[in-house]
Amino acid sequence: MIAHGDIDSLLAPMKDRSSYSNDSYGKSKLKDTRNQKGYVFQNQIIERLQSIILSRFQKSGDLTLRPDRNWKPIPIENDQWSVRLINVTPNKIASRMVVHFRLNSGSQLVGNWQIPVQAELWVEAFQLARPIKRGESIQRGDVNVVTVNALKHQNPLILATEDIEKLEIYQTINMDYPLYWKNVRATPMIRKGQIVDVLAREGSLRISTKGLAMQDGSKGELITIRNIKSKKDFQAQVINENSAKVFF
């Protein structure tokens, strides 16, 4: 029974036990390995760790971990085994990590290990299908869904689960890259230069006037509005496509 964290006791060549292959998308995948009573194999632990790490960091997608070296099978006395993640260094999902985990067989501790791994996080993200100008709203037909390794991108991606039609282009975009959040913004409800209804209420007193929007604004945002008569500027909160409210 292994009861220590000596990585060299695990990492050794394992012929026909566990290996990786590439699918049509270029993802690295573990091949299935033969299970054998009394042992836990590399692919079994890696599959558990992939699921646990995704849950720990509340990420979606397909996480693939590739240890720097293969492991020998770990002998266990009880086929009811479990893996507990202790920590990950750095404290996030990164392209290179050290995973510290604990293996139990039944109620008995088998050992603790720190394993250096390479990681890939495959997600479905949006990519423009045609050039779009700044300030133009995005329609569903303007984008394609592509599968990418999120860990190769420094900027946060817009995942295909987002409602893309609520966004507009804010920055110039390279068509060869997926859409990043820095490239877009929420489509404004009120546009700069638009005449809007300005509402003010205090108790039972209700006042309404017209104002000129001095900037774009999405719902709930505070924007600058100019009183058409007095030419004075004030802050108001966007309510909908043609009105905003002020607070006393």
Side-chain angles (χ1 to χ4, degrees):
M1 184 66 65
I2 301 172
H4 54 80
D6 180 6
I7 194 172
D8 289 331
S9 65
L10 280 183
L11 304 182
M14 293 171 52
K15 293 183 180 179
D16 301 323
R17 290 295 190 184
S18 178
S19 59
Y20 286 84
S21 63
N22 290 328
D23 64 10
S24 59
Y25 295 101
K27 302 179 191 177
S28 297
K29 287 191 173 182
L30 276 167
K31 292 180 179 179
D32 291 335
T33 59
R34 180 172 60 87
N35 195 10
Q36 180 177 330
K37 190 173 182 179
Y39 290 92
V40 179
F41 291 94
Q42 170 178 298
N43 75 303
Q44 296 173 304
I45 293 177
I46 289 297
E47 287 172 1
R48 296 278 181 94
L49 288 172
Q50 289 169 171
S51 177
I52 294 170
I53 290 173
L54 280 175
S55 178
R56 166 75 66 88
F57 294 101
Q58 299 181 341
K59 295 291 186 180
S60 59
D62 181 10
L63 178 64
T64 300
L65 301 179
R66 184 187 303 117
D68 286 352
R69 294 166 61 188
N70 285 333
W71 313 348
K72 293 187 294 186
I74 304 174
I76 57 174
E77 295 182 356
N78 188 322
D79 288 337
Q80 299 301 314
W81 57 273
S82 61
V83 173
R84 177 189 171 191
L85 180 66
I86 298 174
N87 59 48
V88 176
T89 304
N91 189 30
K92 64 179 181 178
I93 298 179
S95 57
R96 293 198 66 86
M97 305 183 290
V98 176
V99 179
H100 187 187
F101 69 92
R102 175 175 298 163
L103 177 66
N104 282 79
S105 175
S107 59
Q108 186 174 4
L109 173 66
V110 179
N112 297 322
W113 290 277
Q114 296 188 69
I115 306 296
V117 299
Q118 298 178 52
E120 298 167 344
L121 180 59
W122 295 92
V123 299
E124 290 188 337
F126 285 121
Q127 185 175 41
L128 287 184
R130 69 174 184 86
I132 300 181
K133 297 179 181 179
R134 179 175 179 176
E136 186 177 350
S137 296
I138 305 172
Q139 303 301 314
R140 186 60 185 83
D142 296 332
V143 293
N144 295 320
V145 175
V146 293
T147 303
V148 296
N149 178 9
L151 301 182
K152 286 190 174 182
H153 298 267
Q154 294 182 348
N155 297 300
L157 298 164
I158 303 178
L159 300 184
T161 53
E162 296 290 339
D163 187 353
I164 195 69
E165 295 187 347
K166 291 185 177 181
L167 304 172
E168 71 172 25
I169 299 302
Y170 182 65
Q171 290 185 349
T172 303
I173 296 174
N174 187 328
M175 294 284 291
D176 295 329
Y177 290 88
L179 277 170
Y180 302 127
W181 280 108
K182 72 172 187 176
N183 301 136
V184 303
R185 67 175 181 177
T187 302
M189 280 190 165
I190 290 177
R191 298 282 185 176
K192 181 179 179 181
Q194 179 181 342
I195 301 298
V196 298
D197 294 321
V198 181
L199 309 174
R201 178 183 295 173
E202 184 176 19
S204 60
L205 179 63
R206 179 183 175 90
I207 303 172
S208 177
T209 187
K210 295 288 186 180
L212 176 67
M214 304 303 292
Q215 61 189 111
D216 294 341
S218 300
K219 186 174 182 178
E221 287 185 337
L222 288 174
I223 63 172
T224 300
I225 293 187
R226 178 166 296 170
N227 187 298
I228 294 177
K229 293 181 179 180
S230 68
K231 306 302 181 183
K232 291 184 178 180
D233 293 344
F234 56 89
Q235 294 287 299
Q237 185 180 49
V238 176
I239 301 175
N240 53 40
E241 289 83 356
N242 51 30
S243 60
K245 63 181 178 180
V246 295
F247 300 91
F248 293 105

